Structures are given as structure tokens and as C-alpha cells.
């Protein structure tokens, strides 16, 4: 999330500009850069810190984080899914799709609540699984909304998701 926020400081203004200009090529270029960096570093972080193993210093620093096998790995995946939408969100802001963002939040946020209701079965995994589901849901719906934005004529600018 920290890396995504830092990348966002550089790429979010470009995402807003691309949406305002309806420049699909620029939007795709920014998205590829953002997702490649997040994906590669996220995969590396997952490989190093996801499990208790010799090259991971974290179990010695925060041993309780590794008490539940696999929880750190699922948490990392959930955070990656949540971070993957940062650029899309700003693109939709640049497209003046604030209403759509509100509707999307109403549509996707219940995923977290529904998964939380499984806590009796999923135990400590409920929150990171909810975040994972919410991130995947937001990514899919944001992507659809952005594709609609870039496909619409300027006169259709206020069309919704």
C-alpha cells in the first residue's frame, strides 16, 4: 500500500489528465506501469515475507504475525488487490464520475461485510479475504466504468456505470 501510494503521487495526476482528455493510450500506459510495478514488487514481497522461512527476517521481528499459517500471505494478497485500484479511482475522478464511484462503493463494499460474516469459519482470514474480494470487485467494476468513459462520445459524458 505504501508503494502504491508513492507511485500514485506520480501517476495519479497522469491518470486524471488521461481521463479528462479521454486519452485511452495514455491511460493504458500509466496503468501498465502502475500494475507492473505493484505486481512485481508485490510478488517479491509475498515470496520473501509471506511465510516463515530462513530468508524472511519478519518472524524474528514480529513472531506473532506468523502464528496463523498463511495469514500473512493472504493479507499481502488482500493489500495488493486493494492497492491495485488506486490509479483507476483517480482516473474516474478525472472523468468526473464521482456518482459512479459512490454507486460502485455501495455495490462492492458489501463483499467485505459478507466475508466478515464467515469469520466463524475463516477465523483470522476473514478480514484479508474480504479485502481481497473487495479489491478484485472494485478493480473489475472500475475497469468497466473507465472503458465506458473512454468509449463514450464527449456528448455522452455523464453516462453512468
Amino acid at each position: 500500500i505504501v508503494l502504491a501510494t508513492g507511485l500514485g503521487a506520480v501517476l495519479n495526476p497522469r491518470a486524471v489528465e488521461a481521463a479528462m482528455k479521454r486519452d485511452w493510450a495514455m491511460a493504458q500506459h500509466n496503468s501498465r506501469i502502475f500494475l507492473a510495478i505493484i505486481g512485481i514488487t508485490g510478488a517479491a514481497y509475498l515470496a520473501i515475507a509471506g511465510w516463515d522461512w530462513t530468508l524472511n527476517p519478519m518472524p524474528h521481528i514480529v513472531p506473532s504475525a506468523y502464528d496463523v499459517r498463511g495469514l500473512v500471505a493472504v493479507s499481502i494478497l488482500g493489500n495488493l488487490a486493494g492497492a491495485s485500484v488506486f490509479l483507476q479511482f483517480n482516473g474516474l475522478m478525472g472523468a468526473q464520475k464521482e456518482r459512479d464511484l459512490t454507486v460502485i462503493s455501495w455495490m462492492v463494499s458489501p463483499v467485505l461485510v459478507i466475508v466478515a460474516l464467515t469469520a466463524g469459519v475463516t477465523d483470522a482470514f476473514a478480514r484479508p479475504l474480504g479485502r481481497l474480494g473487495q479489491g478484485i470487485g472494485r478493480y473489475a467494476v472500475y475497469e468497466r466504468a473507465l472503458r465506458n468513459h473512454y468509449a463514450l462520445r464527449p456528448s455522452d459524458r455523464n453516462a453512468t456505470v
Side-chain angles (χ1 to χ4, degrees):
I1 291 176
V2 173
L3 177 62
T5 303
L7 280 173
V10 175
L11 294 175
N12 286 340
R14 294 179 188 177
V16 170
E17 179 183 359
M20 291 174 71
K21 292 180 176 179
R22 291 181 177 274
D23 186 340
W24 175 249
M26 181 181 189
Q28 286 299 100
H29 177 73
N30 292 334
S31 181
R32 278 192 297 273
I33 291 170
F34 183 80
L35 292 175
I37 292 172
I38 293 297
I40 291 167
T41 57
Y45 184 61
L46 179 64
I48 294 168
W51 294 269
D52 183 1
W53 66 295
T54 309
L55 294 178
N56 181 2
M58 296 307 291
H60 304 292
I61 299 167
V62 190
S64 62
Y66 293 86
D67 285 348
V68 179
R69 186 177 168 93
L71 182 60
V72 171
V74 175
S75 296
I76 291 169
L77 292 174
N79 285 332
L80 282 172
S84 71
V85 301
F86 286 10
L87 202 62
Q88 291 173 312
F89 176 88
N90 283 281
L92 289 167
M93 290 295 288
Q96 298 178 343
K97 300 292 185 184
E98 295 85 0
R99 282 189 189 154
D100 288 358
L101 286 167
T102 303
V103 170
I104 292 168
S105 286
W106 278 98
M107 288 171 37
V108 179
S109 292
V111 170
L112 186 58
V113 175
I114 291 167
V115 175
L117 293 173
T118 70
V121 177
T122 57
D123 292 324
F125 289 90
R127 175 72 171 121
L129 286 173
R131 181 125 168 95
L132 180 63
Q134 190 177 39
I136 291 169
R138 281 187 194 278
Y139 186 88
V141 181
Y142 283 175
E143 187 67 22
R144 180 175 160 224
L146 283 169
R147 286 182 185 273
N148 286 343
H149 169 71
Y150 287 105
L152 293 174
R153 296 181 310 273
S155 61
D156 296 333
R157 194 162 184 150
N158 293 322
T160 60
V161 180

